[in-house]
Amino acid sequence: MKKNITVLSGDGIGPEIVAEAIKVLNKVADKFGHEFEYTYVDIGGCAIDKYGVPITEEGMEKCKSADSVLLGAVGGPKWDSCPPAIRPEKALLAVRKELGLFANLRPTKLFPQLADASPLKQSIVGNGIDLLIVRELTGGVYFGEKKTEEVNGELVATDIMPYSEHEIERIGRVAFETAMKRGKRLASVDKANVLDTSRLWRKTMHRIADDYPEVELSDILVDNTAMQLIKNPTQFDVLVTENMFGDILSDEASMLTGSIGMMPSASLSSTTLGMYEPIHGSAPDIAGMNIANPIGTILSAAMMLRYSFDMMDEADAIEAAVNKALDDGYRTGDIMQEGCKKCLCSEMGDVIVSNI
Ligand code: IPM
Ligand code: MG
């Protein structure tokens, strides 16, 4: 199969980790007889420096016309003082919105080889953590009206958090369908004791639940979820939640696995076009040093093969290769353990490539 992939390497460690994922994709193409063509587009701070905007219209078109998009990370202290309209993050939000990427899947899996890296006690981690956060990605407070105005002699800032029924229903259906393919348990996370958006969320989730009788649906408040993720993380299978709750909870969940550098994500639309990225940021403090962990990006490339290209064996091959690298004791600095082989970002990529 021939596929066009638009590559947004971005800032900081973005280019280093994306280069490793591309090495892996090329090996998969070789081995399984596919052709992957890459179009590179600047995004984030590097685009601000070159063009004065975090993504150009032409760049956006190249994302829309691709078969899928691979992203590294955007942002860094250099661009922190940019006006809100041209901040690096703005480009990320614009791509999500313009490509209609409403469903963000963030799997949180503790690899058994890294059990010691989890900050939680063995008694809590049990036989391993394997949960999936389904985050709504194009609605809520991220995209509602924003303003800062002067009222009675002082500044007042407002961010509106709107959700319509159809937005809730479509993310709900993705979550139920994903739960059907996993442990058939879905926790819907909200703040229905306070927010109207959450009350509509809850009502909608229960309405569509009738279509998925095999899935056990439960409601859980977001503050309690934050606590339960630490207290008893293995109780969860799939969690579904709105945009900002999902942002916060997915960072929390990622830590359970020892390193945020391990975590991939997929942002899906109603077509096969998706964007795939590690959930970590651009880590400017280690940029250019070839010491970042490329596994989150490599596993994101595996998700691309599975969700956008329907290449299941190929995705499995990447995941098995990552697993073997960990089994064989290869570790980047962030997951280094005694007795293991410390390797650079590019060395980790090479090991994974040779395992495929
Ligand atoms: C994420 C990030 C983004 C978000 C930022 C960079 C805008 O934190 O993907 O989780 O808040 O969605
Ligand atoms: Mg985040």
Side-chain angles (χ1 to χ4, degrees):
M1 254 194 264
K2 189 172 173 215
K3 296 289 180 190
N4 294 310
I5 302 172
T6 291
V7 180
L8 309 170
S9 302
D11 306 313
I13 58 171
E16 299 158 54
I17 52 175
V18 163
E20 299 314 308
I22 297 222
K23 275 200 311 214
V24 170
L25 283 170
N26 286 340
K27 177 68 185 275
V28 167
D30 244 28
K31 175 149 179 172
F32 291 84
H34 302 302
E35 205 182 316
F36 297 142
E37 230 170 58
Y38 308 102
T39 305
Y40 287 84
V41 167
D42 290 308
I43 190 169
C46 61
I48 295 174
D49 289 349
K50 268 196 206 165
Y51 313 107
V53 287
I55 188 164
T56 62
E57 268 172 42
E58 196 195 339
M60 184 68 82
E61 284 311 311
K62 286 184 177 150
C63 293
K64 284 188 193 162
S65 61
D67 292 314
S68 79
V69 180
L70 180 66
L71 173 80
V74 296
K78 181 174 173 198
W79 305 283
D80 272 351
S81 53
C82 288
I86 65 151
R87 281 185 66 93
E89 292 81 359
K90 193 79 187 174
L92 187 57
L93 299 181
V95 173
R96 288 173 181 172
K97 194 71 174 180
E98 291 212 19
L99 273 60
L101 307 173
F102 68 89
N104 184 217
L105 309 189
R106 298 191 160 186
T108 300
K109 197 173 154 186
L110 175 62
F111 286 81
Q113 302 94 323
L114 302 182
D116 289 344
S118 175
L120 297 184
K121 288 195 201 109
Q122 186 57 45
S123 60
I124 295 175
V125 168
N127 292 328
I129 297 165
D130 183 2
L131 57 90
L132 175 76
I133 296 178
V134 178
R135 170 187 174 194
E136 200 291 324
L137 202 60
T138 52
V141 72
Y142 273 61
F143 294 95
E145 192 196 329
K146 305 179 181 307
K147 62 180 179 200
T148 305
E149 62 197 337
E150 209 179 295
V151 181
N152 299 332
E154 65 170 346
L155 290 176
V156 176
T158 311
D159 295 282
I160 296 183
M161 181 180 189
Y163 265 110
S164 61
E165 251 180 305
H166 84 271
E167 287 175 306
I168 302 171
E169 174 162 351
R170 68 182 178 180
I171 190 70
R173 291 196 181 277
V174 169
F176 274 103
E177 265 150 39
T178 317
M180 283 295 289
K181 293 184 197 143
R182 293 181 40 114
K184 300 196 168 74
R185 283 180 301 119
L186 178 62
S188 171
V189 179
D190 63 36
K191 189 72 186 171
N193 51 349
V194 177
L195 301 177
D196 257 34
T197 44
S198 284
R199 287 188 269 270
L200 183 60
W201 181 277
R202 201 175 268 212
K203 199 170 144 203
T204 308
M205 289 295 159
H206 283 270
R207 173 167 59 75
I208 63 176
D210 293 346
D211 296 340
Y212 309 89
E214 280 175 56
V215 177
E216 184 195 314
L217 172 68
S218 57
D219 303 301
I220 179 164
L221 294 173
V222 63
D223 47 352
N224 187 24
T225 309
M227 184 174 80
Q228 295 297 333
L229 276 171
I230 305 294
K231 195 176 162 201
N232 180 14
T234 58
Q235 70 183 284
F236 294 115
D237 177 22
V238 180
L239 297 110
V240 62
T241 194
E242 68 86 36
N243 204 344
M244 188 154 79
F245 296 164
D247 178 46
I248 298 168
L249 293 176
S250 60
D251 264 36
E252 183 190 1
S254 76
M255 260 298 114
L256 307 180
T257 71
S259 172
I260 197 170
M262 300 290 297
M263 298 295 104
S265 79
S267 302
L268 309 176
S269 66
S270 51
T271 70
T272 56
L273 174 59
M275 178 160 75
Y276 301 83
E277 57 178 303
I279 83 158
H280 61 73
S282 61
D285 51 323
I286 59 164
M289 294 164 70
N290 194 21
I291 59 170
N293 184 349
I295 293 181
T297 318
I298 290 170
L299 291 174
S300 300
M303 290 186 91
M304 170 189 291
L305 300 183
R306 180 169 292 127
Y307 290 101
S308 279
F309 302 163
D310 207 21
M311 297 178 182
M312 304 300 172
D313 293 343
E314 291 84 336
D316 288 346
I318 295 179
E319 286 164 1
V322 168
N323 215 22
K324 182 165 180 351
L326 295 173
D327 272 344
D328 293 343
Y330 293 99
R331 302 281 187 274
T332 42
D334 57 319
I335 51 173
M336 185 57 193
Q337 291 162 289
E338 221 179 284
C340 289
K341 294 169 235 178
K342 190 163 179 179
C343 61
L344 297 170
C345 177
S346 57
E347 290 169 338
M348 182 60 97
D350 291 339
V351 169
I352 293 168
V353 164
S354 69
N355 287 345
I356 294 175

